[in-house]
Amino acid sequence: MPRGNASQCKVHYQGKDDDFIILVDDAGSVQKWKGDRSIPLAQVVSGFKIFVTHKHGAQGVLDTASKSTLENEFGTHNDDECMIKILENGSIQETEVRQPASEHDTN
């Protein structure tokens, strides 16, 4: 397992009833997609899963968004359509995740 810092990129959308998160490959791919919609979503998102944080902003526990939550916020429960709205209107957030060294590693 590699050690060091890993980068995580996500798009946060603050809805009227909840906060939504999707994980993306990197900020550059989101910007390219915004300029060229012919790029497939599969080359932008890290997985076709939409998360909610229960009004805890971009931080907090990520739970999978239910179909009814998506329907109430976006007017549809189609994941692709919801992801497009989140990518269009959300804010890109990049964080570095420090991976701890194993207890058994020695220098």
Side-chain angles (χ1 to χ4, degrees), residues 48-92:
F48 282 86
K49 204 162 207 170
I50 301 171
F51 299 97
V52 292
T53 62
H54 306 291
K55 294 305 254 180
H56 288 127
Q59 309 300 315
V61 177
L62 300 179
D63 290 327
T64 303
S66 68
K67 289 186 181 209
S68 63
T69 303
L70 295 175
E71 188 75 42
N72 290 338
E73 182 66 40
F74 301 107
T76 180
H77 63 269
N78 180 294
D79 286 346
D80 288 354
E81 292 178 29
C82 294
M83 283 186 181
I84 288 170
K85 290 179 182 180
I86 292 170
L87 288 170
E88 287 174 342
N89 303 311
S91 60
I92 301 169

Side-chain angles (χ1 to χ4, degrees), residues 19-37:
D19 291 296
F20 297 85
I21 301 280
I22 55 174
L23 301 177
V24 293
D25 293 335
D26 56 62
S29 63
V30 175
Q31 295 301 335
K32 285 180 191 173
W33 177 84
K34 284 183 176 183
D36 179 9
R37 294 296 175 88

